[in-house]
Every structure is written in C-alpha cells, then in structure tokens.
C-alpha cells in the first residue's frame, strides 16, 4: 500500500511484513504543461534531471546524475537521462536505484533532487512526482507529488536517511533555483 506524502512527512522503509528493504528505486515523472497560443494549446519539451547526492556527516561525498550514472561504490545507479518527460502520473521518466545493503556505513543521507537543465520553471511542468518503490517486487511504497508549479527551476524532492539500523524517506518539497545539482547544494544543506 502506497503512502502519499506531504512536505516534511516521513515514512519508514520497511516491507509490509516487517522485513528490511534491500533495494529501492526513486522514480521521477513529469509532463510539460500545455500553453495557450494563437492556434490553441501546445506543449514544449522540458528536460528535468534527477540526481542523488550522497552525504556523510552533512558533507557531499558522491553524486549520481546523468553524467555520472553510478556512485563510486556502486550502490546507487541512475538508469539514464530522459530529456522530454511525458510519464506524468504514469510510469517513471527517470529512475535512480539504491542498493541499501551496499550503501557504505559512512553515508547517512541520500538527497534526491530534480532540476530543469534547460531552465524552464516549474510553472511549465505538470504532474511531477517522485516515488519510492521496493525494487524486489515493484510495489510503490511512497509518493510525493509536486504541486503548485512556481517560478523556480529546481526542487529538493526527498531524502532517504539512516534511522537506527534501517532507512526512512522524508518528503522535502523545497523549491530552489539551479540547472545542476551543484547549484542546489546551498539549499540542500539546511535540510539535512
């Protein structure tokens, strides 16, 4: 059973039977919002990029994004760049796989971001979401839906962080401006 998260809400990443999750997929989906023009509505392709920034004691130590598809330790993997979107409320346009058992013990948080590489604002995006899926069975565990559009070009979507011997996902939903994950670091740090 999936949980729809609100900004700031968290969920433990345990299986419904109480077992521990071993691998999760953070999926991102979006659609270009139709714009009214002289000859009716039309859409413009939007290139959103998903990134995962790995932190150890509030310091970024690695990142996975479209130009660095696998973390240095191999525990986090990006499935590839989608430059147009289109899944919206359906499937994932981009996905990042996290093998929770392989994440080194010094990594205590993984922050998932989305940014408009081509600079369009979220006012031009609709049906944007991130979700976390149990990779072993495909079951959606939690979903955070981006609402409200806005004049910003990035979103700090969610973080997966260690709690005791397990992991928890927290929806962050923090608006930011930037075309790359590097631009977002000053906005991410206060959220850790």
């Amino acid at each position: 059973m999936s949980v729809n998260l609100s900004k700031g809400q968290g969920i433990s990443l345990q299986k419904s039977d109480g077992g521990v999750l071993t691998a999760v997929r953070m999926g991102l989906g979006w659609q270009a919002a139709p714009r009214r023009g002289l000859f009716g509505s039309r859409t413009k392709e939007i290139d959103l990029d998903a990134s995962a920034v790995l932190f150890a004691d509030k310091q970024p130590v690695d990142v996975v994004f479209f130009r660095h598809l696998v973390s240095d330790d191999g525990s986090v993997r990006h499935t590839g760049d989608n430059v147009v979107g289109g899944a919206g409320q359906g499937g994932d346009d981009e996905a990042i796989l996290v093998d929770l058992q392989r994440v080194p013990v010094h990594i205590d948080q993984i922050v998932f971001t989305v940014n408009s590489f081509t600079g369009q604002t979220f006012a031009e995006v609709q049906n944007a979401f991130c979700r976390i899926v149990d990779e072993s069975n495909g079951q959606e565990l939690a979903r955070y839906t981006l609402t409200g559009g806005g004049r910003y070009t990035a979103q700090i979507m969610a973080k997966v962080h260690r709690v005791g011997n397990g992991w928890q996902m927290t929806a962050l939903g923090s608006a930011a401006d930037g075309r790359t994950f590097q631009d977002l670091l000053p906005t991410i740090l206060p959220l850790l």
Side-chain angles (χ1 to χ4, degrees), residues 69-88:
L69 294 175
V70 180
S71 62
D72 294 340
D73 58 55
S75 66
V76 181
R77 183 172 53 89
H78 195 297
T79 61
D81 194 18
N82 178 325
V83 297
V84 297

Side-chain angles (χ1 to χ4, degrees), residues 33-56:
R35 297 185 307 177
R36 300 211 43 90
L38 184 60
F39 301 106
S41 294
R42 59 185 173 92
T43 59
K44 180 179 179 182
E45 293 177 350
I46 296 179
D47 181 8
L48 296 185
D49 290 322
S51 301
V53 185
L54 289 69
F55 287 88

Side-chain angles (χ1 to χ4, degrees), residues 2-13 26 130-132 140-147 157-159 168-172:
S2 180
V3 174
N4 286 316
L5 296 177
S6 301
K7 183 176 180 175
Q9 185 179 8
I11 182 173
S12 176
L13 296 182
M26 178 64 72
C130 75
R131 66 188 189 128
I132 195 150
E140 181 177 296
L141 303 171
R143 176 180 288 256
Y144 175 65
T145 302
L146 171 66
T147 58
M157 295 294 278
K159 68 179 177 178
Q168 179 171 321
M169 175 187 172
T170 300
L172 299 172

